């Protein structure tokens, strides 16, 4: 064999070994390519992206940012194209740049900031209550004994003029006898004495009608019949037959049902939009199809500390008495419009707990997190009071990817508002990484890492995919092999790699946290 043939054989053997190792390492991964670009340090001189013409420092997989590649291609970790990191991004403080191809493939949507009217339709639930302004008290105007009770139970309905109770009044007898005796006197001062006696009858509680009847008939009345001054419901009954009552004793509390109150619970943020006199409509489940109209009488100056609501007191006519106290109703408070408001879709606003943030789209794959002050929200639109201008575009889907990119590039513009840590600054306290749990299937495994096909992992914000997980420091549990269903726990390391913290077959109990590190 000549030297040329030997060299060719050696070259073929090296190529086969390299191809076999690559197939073993990446061949079982979904979407992986044997021709994937090799990891490398960023080139000294930036290359040029042929589609954008911009200088590229390196390419990377956003889900495995620790690996850098010197040319574009298919990610060896997931079924996606590598993303370029442009050289001019370092000059844009707080701006995140993502390849337009990635923006399009991930379906990142934007919407324009516009001015318009924000109309809120206000509704609330409430309960029916007595109109306390129509409450009437029936009291005894003379001391006596209750001889007969015509109304015997609370919540009985009464009509105006209907007898309620008969009282034996001894004081009336004495006053009437005195008056009749003075009427028969013919002395010069008899007239003044008769006037004084008549006034005494009034003071002991006799009505003008009863006094006129006495003057007409001359017959002494020892009993008084108290009648209902209004039609309504006996809300309180304070008397029974045989009782001895004193002057001023409250015998009945009668509530009219000609009108009722509806106490509607309104969120305190909406309370400022309501004014007294505003017309409202109410509907009750007990009367399907019936519509009750009224007006807001007042907004009570008190906030419920538990529900954070204010009470709108609505007065509604109830001539037929269909609305009863305690009944639940739905109150339509009408619409309130905010004119010339700056509006964005509500899904564009991200609440971090300390502030509200939107992602402004600057064009050509460039994005910037912007802190905003929000106002009212209705019909999928949110009012922006500060932070944006009309005509700007904001991201309404895919914000998680932009936030991840901002963290990767340490722009200091994370959605949470926390700047990226400075390597020169000592970290005294460091929070423990969050541990996520999931189930999946082993696609391939080595002593260092395992490739797992898993479903959605909401706690980590990850969808269904096939991806590698590190198992450095310990071997896999015995018996696990390709194709096995497993349960596993993992955390995200500071270098954005995914580290297995526990793993077990799916038919076993959940892996104990900290096992097989």
């Amino acid at each position: 064999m000549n030297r040329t043939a030997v060299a060719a054989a050696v070259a073929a053997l090296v190529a086969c070994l390299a191809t076999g190792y690559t197939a073993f390492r990446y061949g079982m991964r979904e979407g992986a390519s044997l021709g994937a670009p090799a990891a490398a340090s960023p080139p000294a001189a930036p290359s040029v992206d042929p589609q954008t013409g911009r200088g590229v420092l390196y390419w990377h997989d956003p889900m495995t940012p620790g690996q850098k590649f010197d040319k574009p291609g298919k990610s060896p970790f997931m079924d996606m194209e590598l993303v370029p990191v442009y050289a001019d991004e370092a000059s844009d403080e707080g701006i995140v740049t993502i390849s337009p191809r990635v923006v399009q493939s991930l379906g990142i949507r934007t919407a324009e900031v516009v001015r318009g009217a924000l109309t809120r339709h206000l509704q609330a639930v409430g309960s029916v209550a007595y109109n306390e302004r129509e409450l009437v008290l029936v009291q005894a105007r003379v001391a006596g004994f209750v001889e007969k009770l015509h109304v015997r139970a609370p919540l009985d309905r009464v009509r105006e003029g209907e007898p309620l109770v008969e009282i034996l009044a001894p004081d009336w007898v004495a006053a009437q006898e005195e008056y009749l005796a003075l009427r028969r006197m013919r002395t010069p001062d008899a007239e003044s004495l008769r006037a004084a006696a008549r006034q005494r009858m009034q003071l002991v509680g006799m009505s003008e009608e009863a006094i006129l009847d006495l003057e007409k008939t001359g017959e002494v009345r020892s009993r008084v019949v108290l009648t209902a001054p209004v039609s309504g419901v006996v809300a309180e009954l304070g008397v029974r037959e045989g009782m001895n009552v004193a002057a001023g004793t409250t015998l009945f509390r009668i509530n009219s049902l000609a009108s009722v109150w509806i106490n509607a619970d309104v969120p305190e943020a909406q309370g400022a939009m309501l004014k007294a006199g505003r017309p409202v409509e109410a509907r009750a489940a007990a009367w399907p199809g019936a519509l009750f109209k009224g007006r807001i009488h007042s907004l009570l100056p008190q906030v419920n500390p538990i529900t954070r609501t204010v009470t709108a007191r609505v007065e509604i006519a109830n001539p037929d008495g269909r609305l009863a106290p305690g009944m639940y109703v739905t109150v339509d408070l009408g619409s309130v419009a905010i004119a010339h408001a700056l509006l964005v879709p509500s899904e564009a606003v991200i609440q971090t707990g300390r502030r509200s943030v939107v992602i402004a789209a600057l064009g050509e794959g460039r994005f910037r997190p912007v802190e905003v002050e929000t106002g009212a929200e209705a019909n999928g639109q949110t009012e922006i009071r500060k932070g944006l201008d009309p005509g700007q575009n904001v991201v309404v889907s895919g914000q998680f990817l932009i936030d991840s990119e901002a963290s990767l590039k340490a722009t200091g513009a994370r959605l949470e508002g926390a700047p990226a840590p400075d390597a020169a600054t000592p970290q005294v306290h460091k929070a423990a990484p969050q541990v996520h749990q999931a189930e999946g299937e082993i696609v391939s495994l080595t002593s260092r890492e395992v490739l797992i096909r898993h479903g959605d992992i909401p706690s980590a914000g990850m969808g269904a995919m096939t991806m590698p997980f590190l198992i450095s420091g310990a071997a896999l549990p015995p018996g696990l092999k390709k194709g096995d269903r497993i349960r596993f726990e993992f955390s995200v390391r500071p270098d954005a790699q995914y580290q297995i913290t526990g793993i077990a077959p799916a038919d076993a109990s959940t892996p104990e946290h900290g096992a097989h590190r």
Side-chain angles (χ1 to χ4, degrees), residues 252-509:
F252 301 90
R253 290 169 56 95
I254 301 177
N255 279 105
S256 173
L257 290 179
S259 66
V260 293
W261 283 344
I262 292 178
N263 295 322
D265 296 326
V266 181
E268 62 177 315
Q270 299 178 5
M273 303 179 185
L274 301 176
K275 302 296 180 183
R278 183 185 184 88
V280 300
E281 297 178 346
R283 291 177 172 82
W287 301 101
L291 184 64
F292 304 91
K293 296 185 178 182
R295 292 183 178 274
I296 295 178
H297 184 275
S298 60
L299 291 171
L300 302 190
Q302 183 178 6
V303 177
N304 188 314
I306 299 176
T307 61
R308 308 309 305 173
T309 57
V310 296
T311 299
R313 178 174 287 170
V314 179
E315 187 169 335
I316 289 186
N318 187 37
D320 50 6
R322 288 189 293 178
L323 293 178
M327 187 178 292
Y328 278 99
V329 294
T330 302
V331 183
D332 188 340
L333 300 170
S335 299
V336 177
I338 303 175
H340 307 294
L342 200 62
L343 304 177
V344 299
S346 296
E347 57 186 329
V349 181
I350 305 166
Q351 302 291 345
T352 68
R354 293 179 296 174
R355 59 181 189 156
S356 300
V357 178
V358 299
I359 304 295
L362 307 180
E364 299 181 353
R366 301 165 69 242
F367 304 90
R368 183 197 299 275
V370 178
E371 183 175 355
V372 296
E373 179 183 335
T374 60
E377 179 183 359
N379 305 320
Q381 298 285 315
T382 296
E383 177 190 9
I384 301 296
R385 296 180 177 175
K386 185 187 300 183
L388 295 176
D389 296 316
Q392 288 184 269
N393 289 318
V394 295
V395 177
V396 296
S397 68
Q399 295 98 323
F400 73 94
L401 174 62
I402 300 171
D403 181 41
S404 175
E405 192 76 5
S407 174
L408 172 64
K409 298 177 181 178
T411 63
R414 293 294 308 277
L415 299 182
E416 294 85 354
D422 187 354
T425 304
Q427 303 295 319
V428 179
H429 300 286
K430 190 171 184 180
Q434 182 181 0
V435 176
H436 309 279
Q437 297 184 353
E439 292 190 8
E441 178 184 345
I442 297 178
V443 177
S444 65
L445 56 88
T446 66
S447 60
R448 182 176 180 273
E449 71 176 25
V450 56
L451 188 66
I452 300 176
R453 181 188 296 111
H454 63 76
D456 294 341
I457 309 179
S459 63
M462 299 167 60
M465 61 180 73
T466 300
M467 57 186 294
F469 294 86
L470 300 180
I471 336 174
S472 59
L476 286 170
L480 289 182
K481 61 185 182 302
K482 172 185 173 182
D484 284 353
R485 295 287 301 176
I486 58 171
R487 294 182 180 179
F488 63 98
E489 295 179 347
F490 70 94
S491 62
V492 183
R493 303 195 324 186
D495 60 358
Q497 298 285 342
Y498 299 97
Q499 175 74 55
I500 290 287
T501 59
I503 187 170
D507 55 356
S509 60

Side-chain angles (χ1 to χ4, degrees), residues 1-52:
M1 181 181 296
N2 55 32
R3 304 178 73 179
T4 303
V6 171
V10 171
L13 178 60
V14 171
C16 290
L17 291 175
T19 302
Y21 174 77
T22 302
F24 173 77
R25 180 69 174 79
Y26 298 124
M28 296 304 294
R29 302 183 180 185
E30 291 186 352
S33 171
L34 294 180
S41 300
S47 58
V48 177
D49 187 347
Q51 295 199 7
T52 64

